Amino acid sequence: MKTLLKRAGTTMGILLLTVNLCLKANAQTGVPANYIDEGFKNNLVLQQKKVSLEKALNDLQTAKSLFLPSVDFLAGYQSANGGRSIDIPVGDMLNPVYSTLNQLTNSKQFPQIQNVSQQLLPANFYDARVHTTMPLLNTDLIYNKKIQEQQVTLQNYEVEIYQRELVKNIKTAYFAYLGALQSIQIYEASAQLAEEGKRVNESLLNNGKGLPAYVLRSNSEIETIQAQLTNARLQADNAKAYFNFLLNRPREESVDPNFNATDSLQAISTLLINEPDFNSREELKSLKEAVRLNETVEKMNRSYAIPKLSGFLDLGSQAEGWKLNEDSRYYFAGVQLSMPIFAGNRNNIKIRQSELDVKNAKLGLTQATEQFAITASTAKNNLVATYKVYLSSLKQLEAAESYQRLIEKGYKAGTNTFIESVDARNQLTAAQLAKNLNLYKVFVAAAELERQTASYNIHK
């Protein structure tokens, strides 16, 4: 590692100079920030994640509302005729008394009355009331509210996890597009060299100094380069289409190719020095929150024996014949207590189940921690390797450029063959492509390390 950094330091000047010759630099660093912001705003999958977060927030509001009184207006009307009835012997009880009173008073002030028969089903009866209920003591509501709060936290982590993944995908797609554009430029330059070689061979042939085979070889080389150029253009179109897909834009919409490779490479040199820290990953935070959520469920299950107390109050009016007066109005209030006595051992089974859920969540957290440590270390090593390969490709490109100049000069002077000049041009093209490919591999590897260490600031 130290040797690599020393080599990187000695070649940084050449590195930055070559990059400036290959790419147009501006004030931006990395992928233009507006593309990341646009992805956060428009990406369809991210919008779905945010909808899930909103649903979790609504569930939390519902859990909070369960602590408030519930008020309903209830009304009913009943009317019946026949059915069971109850006989009230009013006449049998009072008529002898009334007869005696009439005899004593020598009058008929106390008439005889009939026995009464009252049917049990009401006739023309209404009951209208405002029914209010409120929990007074219910531990399930307390734990349910806490669980919903933890669910909101989990959903928020889900949004942030996908945001980080989206940042990595946007950067990878952007670098793939830039790499394809650079490949197009390389093939176009190579095609110009091949056309010049064809022109020279035709001129030599016309002057009796060349061979027809050299002209045929030039035509074949030009066709090969044109096929490679067509393929590079298709790759650029595909990369642009995927990049625009991530941002939920039309596939043909233009993409800004300006990219400050100098500043980005300087930032990467910092990544090479620092040890990767994966502890800020939202995945770990989410798993820790999942452990706490399962512990909350366990506590809720253990509180099953705590009594539940609720109260109710009815304010209303009921009477026959739609009467509304002092006699019809009423209130009815009370409290209800619920305490479990026997449930076939189901509560103990739920407690055991929740204990296993907690244990499983903790094991998942431990496994994920170890896995993230490995992936972060692997991403760091991959970045170091790609950076070293890129530095090597710069030297190879420098050698290929020097070799091509010497061979081309010798070919024009007649000291080198046409085959040697073609080979030199092919080596130059291959070196340019390798340098271009390795450059963007460095940026992609840096984006992966950034993802594994959650170092990108998504809360700007």
Side-chain angles (χ1 to χ4, degrees):
M1 181 64 187
K2 293 182 179 178
T3 303
L4 174 61
L5 292 177
K6 290 181 180 178
R7 293 178 180 176
T10 58
T11 56
M12 183 59 69
I14 299 175
L15 169 69
L16 299 181
L17 177 61
T18 306
V19 169
N20 283 330
L21 292 175
C22 296
L23 299 173
K24 294 181 179 179
N26 58 15
Q28 297 168 341
T29 302
V31 176
N34 61 297
Y35 285 145
I36 303 296
D37 296 337
E38 189 174 352
F40 284 176
K41 180 180 178 181
N42 298 331
N43 184 265
L44 295 178
V45 177
L46 184 57
Q47 291 180 25
Q48 291 178 324
K49 299 287 184 182
K50 290 182 178 179
V51 169
S52 298
L53 175 58
E54 291 181 8
K55 291 174 63 177
L57 288 170
N58 289 334
D59 291 338
L60 175 58
Q61 294 300 320
T62 300
K64 291 180 178 179
S65 69
L66 296 177
F67 290 91
L68 301 176
S70 178
V71 182
D72 299 297
F73 175 74
L74 305 175
Y77 172 79
Q78 301 175 6
S79 184
N81 188 16
R84 293 181 299 166
S85 63
I86 181 172
D87 294 328
I88 304 175
V90 180
D92 293 342
M93 291 186 295
L94 297 180
N95 284 338
V97 177
Y98 286 173
S99 297
T100 303
L101 290 174
N102 286 333
Q103 291 175 2
L104 292 174
T105 60
N106 194 21
S107 66
K108 294 183 179 180
Q109 295 180 4
F110 302 97
Q112 299 293 297
I113 61 176
Q114 300 293 325
N115 290 332
V116 176
S117 178
Q118 178 67 44
Q119 69 177 36
L120 295 179
L121 296 177
N124 196 22
F125 176 83
Y126 80 93
D127 182 9
R129 66 188 183 277
V130 176
H131 181 67
T132 304
T133 59
M134 182 175 180
L136 302 177
L137 175 62
N138 192 331
T139 55
D140 286 350
L141 298 182
I142 298 174
Y143 286 116
N144 180 60
K145 173 177 171 291
K146 188 173 183 180
I147 289 172
Q148 294 303 326
E149 290 174 342
Q150 292 170 328
Q151 289 285 4
V152 169
T153 302
L154 288 174
Q155 287 298 330
N156 189 61
Y157 285 145
E158 285 293 322
V159 172
E160 294 181 355
I161 289 170
Y162 187 78
Q163 283 179 320
R164 294 203 181 279
E165 193 69 22
L166 182 61
V167 169
K168 187 197 77 170
N169 291 337
I170 289 175
K171 289 187 175 184
T172 302
Y174 185 72
F175 294 140
Y177 176 67
L178 294 185
L181 291 182
Q182 291 294 309
S183 297
I184 291 174
Q185 295 178 9
I186 293 171
Y187 284 126
E188 287 177 343
S190 179
Q192 291 178 356
L193 290 175
E195 290 286 353
E196 177 63 19
K198 177 183 177 182
R199 187 191 66 78
V200 171
N201 285 322
E202 289 177 341
S203 177
L204 291 174
L205 181 63
N206 292 333
N207 293 326
K209 297 182 180 180
L211 296 175
Y214 288 173
V215 177
L216 294 175
R217 177 64 185 269
S218 296
N219 289 329
S220 175
E221 184 184 9
I222 291 172
E223 292 298 324
T224 300
I225 294 173
Q226 289 298 327
Q228 293 171 332
L229 181 59
T230 300
N231 183 59
R233 286 170 177 166
L234 291 175
Q235 289 180 351
D237 289 340
N238 292 336
K240 181 172 70 172
Y242 179 63
F243 179 82
N244 286 328
F245 165 76
L246 293 174
L247 273 60
N248 194 26
R249 306 194 307 177
R251 61 174 288 133
E252 297 299 330
E253 188 163 342
S254 62
V255 178
D256 182 11
N258 294 322
F259 172 63
N260 193 329
T262 302
D263 292 342
S264 295
L265 286 172
Q266 289 176 345
I268 289 173
S269 65
T270 303
L271 293 176
L272 293 172
I273 299 174
N274 298 330
E275 289 298 321
D277 181 13
F278 60 91
N279 292 310
S280 59
R281 290 190 62 161
E282 284 76 15
E283 291 89 342
L284 281 179
K285 298 177 182 178
S286 178
L287 290 170
K288 291 177 182 178
E289 190 66 27
V291 171
R292 288 190 288 268
L293 188 148
N294 282 285
E295 289 174 344
T296 302
V297 173
E298 180 185 356
K299 292 178 182 178
M300 182 178 67
N301 291 335
R302 289 184 180 278
S303 65
Y304 73 93
I306 299 177
K308 295 176 178 58
L309 183 65
S310 61
F312 69 91
L313 172 64
D314 285 347
L315 299 175
S317 175
Q318 60 177 217
E320 294 183 352
W322 298 103
K323 296 177 182 178
L324 179 60
N325 49 43
E326 290 292 336
D327 295 331
S328 68
R329 289 192 291 269
Y330 72 95
Y331 78 88
F332 183 46
V335 293
Q336 293 178 333
L337 178 67
S338 174
M339 178 183 295
I341 297 177
F342 178 74
N345 205 35
R346 289 190 296 272
N347 291 315
N348 291 329
I349 294 175
K350 289 175 64 177
I351 292 173
R352 178 55 182 164
Q353 185 68 36
S354 58
E355 289 175 347
L356 294 175
D357 290 338
V358 171
K359 183 178 180 181
N360 187 57
K362 289 181 178 180
L363 290 174
L365 174 60
T366 302
Q367 180 186 15
T369 302
E370 296 175 356
Q371 179 180 348
F372 292 152
I374 293 174
T375 55
S377 177
T378 301
K380 169 69 178 298
N381 293 337
N382 184 52
L383 176 60
V384 172
T386 54
Y387 192 78
K388 185 176 181 180
V389 170
Y390 173 67
L391 295 178
S392 176
S393 66
L394 287 178
K395 296 180 180 179
Q396 293 175 7
L397 176 60
E398 183 180 359
E401 289 174 338
S402 299
Y403 179 71
Q404 194 273 338
R405 286 193 297 267
L406 290 174
I407 295 298
E408 190 68 22
K409 183 178 180 180
Y411 173 64
K412 292 180 179 180
T415 57
N416 292 103
T417 65
F418 173 67
I419 299 299
E420 289 177 319
S421 69
V422 172
D423 178 66
R425 286 200 299 270
N426 289 338
Q427 288 188 35
L428 176 61
T429 300
Q432 290 173 331
L433 290 173
K435 189 275 307 180
N436 175 64
L437 177 64
N438 292 327
L439 171 65
Y440 291 108
K441 277 186 175 180
V442 171
F443 295 138
V444 170
E448 178 64 27
L449 179 58
E450 183 183 67
R451 170 68 184 92
Q452 295 299 330
T453 57
S455 57
Y456 184 86
N457 185 10
I458 61 177
H459 301 291
K460 295 179 181 178

